[in-house]
Amino acid sequence: MEQVHNEKAALREQIMSQRRQIISQLEAERGTKVITLIHRKEPWEESEDSITIEDSEFVLMEIHKTPQDKPIDIILHTPGGLVLSTELIATALKQHEAPVTAIVPFYAMSGGTMIALAADEILMEEFSALGPLDPQINGRPAGALLEVLKRKPIESISDDTVILALIASQAIEEVKGFVEWFLEGKFNKEQRETVAEFLTGGYTTHDRPLSFETLKGLGLPVKRGVPHLVFELFTTCEFGVCKRPCVAHYGVAPAP
């Protein structure tokens, strides 16, 4: 058991050293502070596969340590996660005075998309994807819960469903408000409302990837050109073992 522990510790140090070197090189090339929010299983431990409160604490500390005149690159690879953590990170990036670039080599769904929207620029490739921001309430799309109230007499709807629908309505308005705020300075008021409605309105399923062309059509500040060092960083990660992006949730956590 001790030998296995020592082997994992040695592997961890080796991989973390590789990552530090790659990130340092990327920072030197781009003149930025690089922060990562990457959800992959690590070979030496059980890793979280969504945005947690611990993630937000780490990222917030890194943002706080960065001088206000220093540009930030945040590398995003996540299926989403806890709404509180997501909004804390996105808010801190929005308030950073120097330019912020979100780099999405593969996907940043749900809460990852909200963080990307807080950036001044989003670097992607033609195969990269963001995702819808419609809140998920106990695993149910907020829009679908509201539709139940429209289609069935109130007497035939359970109290629990009515309560969830009320929470859903509130969640949609809250997320929409955040999105519109993140887009200030990029769009006029009417354009902000249109984009926010599209992203939060439940017009597609929550796991539907939004391509580079779709995002460009919305007028979002997307640009092709993920730095090669970002892909090199991913060679230090295990692939094929993390939670699928389609189970990403954004909203009220399921009841225990």
Side-chain angles (χ1 to χ4, degrees):
M1 180 67 72
E2 183 177 352
Q3 180 180 355
V4 172
H5 175 76
N6 291 337
E7 289 175 353
K8 286 186 176 182
L11 177 62
R12 183 182 189 282
E13 180 54 37
Q14 176 188 346
I15 291 177
M16 295 304 290
S17 176
Q18 285 180 270
R19 292 176 185 173
R20 285 192 294 267
Q21 290 177 12
I22 294 170
I23 288 173
S24 293
Q25 188 177 347
L26 182 60
E27 289 178 329
E29 284 189 4
R30 290 179 53 80
T32 62
K33 166 67 177 178
V34 172
I35 301 173
T36 62
L37 187 57
I38 297 173
H39 292 117
R40 301 298 312 176
K41 178 175 168 52
E42 301 287 18
W44 56 80
E45 65 183 12
E46 291 296 322
S47 306
E48 291 289 347
D49 51 15
S50 62
I51 303 171
T52 66
I53 196 66
E54 289 79 17
D55 284 328
S56 66
E57 291 167 353
F58 167 77
V59 174
L60 290 172
M61 285 190 291
E62 291 299 305
I63 296 172
H64 179 70
K65 290 189 298 184
T66 306
Q68 285 293 325
D69 60 351
K70 182 79 169 180
I72 289 176
D73 286 337
I74 183 163
I75 301 173
L76 297 171
H77 180 71
T78 178
L82 186 63
V83 59
L84 171 62
S85 301
T86 295
E87 291 181 353
L88 287 174
I89 294 170
T91 298
L93 292 173
K94 169 70 174 177
Q95 294 173 335
H96 189 70
E97 293 179 7
V100 174
T101 300
I103 302 177
V104 184
F106 302 110
Y107 62 81
M109 305 295 283
S110 194
T113 295
M114 177 168 279
I115 294 172
L117 292 180
D120 299 291
E121 183 176 67
I122 305 170
L123 291 184
M124 305 173 64
E125 292 296 339
E126 66 276 3
F127 48 75
S128 306
L130 300 184
L133 290 173
D134 55 311
Q136 306 296 292
I137 311 298
N138 282 11
R140 300 176 177 87
L145 287 168
L146 295 180
E147 195 66 23
V148 171
L149 297 187
K150 298 177 184 177
R151 297 193 178 197
K152 296 180 68 177
I154 191 68
E155 308 83 40
S156 64
I157 305 175
S158 70
D159 290 347
D160 284 345
T161 300
V162 172
I163 291 170
L164 289 177
L166 293 174
I167 294 173
S169 177
Q170 185 177 22
I172 290 173
E173 291 306 310
E174 289 175 350
V175 175
K176 190 180 296 184
F178 265 100
V179 172
E180 290 184 26
W181 177 54
F182 294 145
L183 297 178
E184 283 184 1
K186 305 182 182 80
F187 298 101
N188 61 38
K189 187 176 187 299
E190 183 179 355
Q191 291 171 321
R192 292 198 303 270
E193 291 175 350
T194 299
V195 174
E197 174 63 24
F198 174 78
L199 292 174
T200 65
Y203 297 104
T204 66
T205 57
H206 195 61
D207 62 341
R208 177 72 177 177
L210 302 179
S211 68
F212 176 88
E213 293 301 327
T214 298
L215 299 168
K216 185 178 179 181
L218 288 171
L220 292 174
V222 295
K223 181 180 178 181
R224 281 196 180 96
V226 173
H228 74 279
L229 284 171
V230 174
F231 290 112
E232 187 173 335
L233 183 66
F234 276 80
T235 65
T236 69
C237 302
E238 287 194 1
F239 279 82
V241 290
C242 77
K243 184 181 289 186
R244 292 174 60 194
C246 65
V247 298
H249 66 277
Y250 188 89
V252 178

